[in-house]
């Protein structure tokens, strides 16, 4: 299904089932070996908490999320917003967390990306270099598993020919094929060559109400980032 859909948008696409590479090694350096074992997706909060004006009290903890999805100690990957309560500003949160279990404390390998106050560029920092918690705010799209080795879907695509970005192409392909049935995927991929247009939320929440998708896009700051880039998509084919 994925290979057929990707070929409509990329010059070349190969999709196969393989053994998960060891994610504790370069270039990932994740705290877990794989993304297998009781996989599940958690959508927490959402963009509505930013519009028309921000609801700063919406703060969550990844350890609590892991318990709520009945997988304490889960290895969690994904994308979200940092807790402005912790950082003092608004920022992107890139969760890579082995949540706490009865036997072990949490290992937080997450990153935060924010607008650099010095030059208005992108500032990417390791979360644990400044903070010790597992909090995030407003929204997150999370893929959780036991962090075990196992079989995964390997997707290779190059030479983008169409309008859709890689992740949107995957999601729309699934939606087209599975229709009413929501199908989710999560994991990690690497952009090995080229550039990507990526947004970072500004440090200050919008004082003007954000009423439309266009308002949100105008508020976001976009950057061209150079490869290599490690990405953590979590997609659901349609709203269940």
């Amino acid at each position: 299904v994925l290979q057929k859909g990707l070929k409509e948008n990329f010059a070349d696409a190969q999709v196969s089932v393989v053994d998960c590479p060891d994610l504790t090694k370069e270039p990932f350096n994740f705290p877990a070996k794989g993304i297998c074992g009781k996989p599940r997706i958690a959508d927490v909060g959402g963009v509505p908490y930013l519009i028309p004006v921000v609801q700063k009290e919406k703060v969550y903890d990844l350890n609590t999320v892991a318990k709520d999805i009945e997988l304490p100690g889960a290895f969690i990957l994904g994308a979200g917003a940092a807790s402005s309560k912790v950082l003092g500003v608004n920022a992107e949160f890139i969760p890579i967390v082995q949540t706490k279990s009865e036997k072990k404390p949490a290992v937080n390998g997450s990153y935060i990306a924010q607008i650099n106050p010095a030059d208005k560029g992108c500032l990417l920092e390791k979360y644990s270099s400044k903070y010790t918690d597992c909090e995030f705010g407003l929204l997150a799209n999370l893929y959780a598993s036991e962090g075990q080795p196992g079989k995964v879907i390997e997707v290779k695509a190059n030479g983008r020919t169409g309008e859709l970005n890689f992740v949107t192409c995957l999601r729309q392909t699934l939606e087209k094929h599975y229709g009413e049935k929501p199908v989710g995927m999560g994991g990690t991929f690497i952009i090995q060559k080229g550039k990507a247009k990526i947004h970072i939320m500004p440090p200050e929440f919008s004082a003007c109400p954000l009423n439309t998708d266009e308002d949100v896009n105008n508020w976001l700051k976009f950057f061209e980032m150079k490869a290599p880039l490690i990405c953590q998509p979590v997609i659901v084919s349609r709203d269940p």
Side-chain angles (χ1 to χ4, degrees):
V1 171
L2 293 174
Q3 188 162 302
K4 191 168 156 264
L6 283 162
K7 283 193 168 167
E8 289 172 16
N9 204 64
F10 288 87
D12 185 46
Q14 302 297 323
V15 183
S16 48
V17 176
V18 301
D19 288 317
C20 188
D22 185 343
L23 300 177
T24 61
K25 296 193 168 140
E26 290 282 344
F28 299 101
N29 301 316
F30 289 169
K33 277 189 182 296
I35 55 168
C36 299
K38 298 187 181 169
R40 52 205 62 188
I41 283 171
D43 259 341
V44 185
V47 175
Y49 290 156
L50 276 166
I51 53 180
V53 289
V54 68
Q55 295 182 38
K56 284 188 191 171
E57 70 282 3
K58 301 294 183 186
V59 176
Y60 309 92
D61 188 294
L62 285 166
N63 292 312
T64 312
V65 172
K67 277 190 197 151
D68 286 346
I69 59 172
E70 296 170 11
L71 205 63
F75 173 51
I76 295 178
L77 286 177
S83 166
S84 61
K85 199 175 91 181
V86 174
L87 272 70
V89 293
N90 186 27
E92 302 288 340
F93 182 53
I94 304 148
I96 308 164
V97 177
Q98 183 86 56
T99 57
K100 73 176 179 196
S101 63
E102 282 176 10
K103 297 170 194 157
K104 291 179 186 164
V107 180
N108 193 340
S110 306
Y111 288 85
I112 35 175
Q114 57 184 311
I115 305 292
N116 191 334
D119 63 4
K120 302 290 182 263
C122 165
L123 180 63
L124 182 72
E125 298 173 293
K126 206 152 178 145
Y127 194 81
S128 60
S129 66
K130 288 187 171 177
Y131 312 103
T132 54
D133 60 89
C134 289
E135 270 191 22
F136 64 97
L138 302 171
L139 69 151
N141 312 108
L142 305 170
Y143 172 82
S145 71
E146 291 178 325
Q148 301 293 335
K151 295 291 182 193
V152 295
I153 298 173
E154 178 185 66
V155 182
K156 291 181 175 180
N158 61 53
R160 180 167 149 186
T161 54
E163 286 293 304
L164 302 179
N165 69 50
F166 177 62
V167 177
T168 302
C169 185
L170 289 174
R171 190 189 67 74
Q172 288 190 8
T173 297
L174 291 173
E175 184 178 24
K176 211 157 136 187
H177 184 83
Y178 292 101
E180 293 287 306
K181 183 184 173 187
V183 176
M185 287 181 78
T188 181
F189 71 91
I190 303 172
I191 300 176
Q192 290 171 318
K193 284 182 184 167
K195 291 177 185 170
K197 187 182 177 190
I198 296 174
H199 76 252
I200 297 179
M201 294 184 291
E204 302 297 328
F205 292 107
S206 180
C208 306
L210 302 170
N211 295 313
T212 64
D213 287 351
E214 195 183 1
D215 287 348
V216 174
N217 279 333
N218 289 336
W219 171 68
L220 296 170
K221 302 281 182 244
F222 284 88
F223 294 88
E224 259 198 4
M225 308 279 190
K226 281 187 188 139
L229 293 161
I230 293 175
C231 309
Q232 297 172 189
V234 181
I235 54 176
V236 182
S237 61
R238 56 170 301 146
D239 190 337

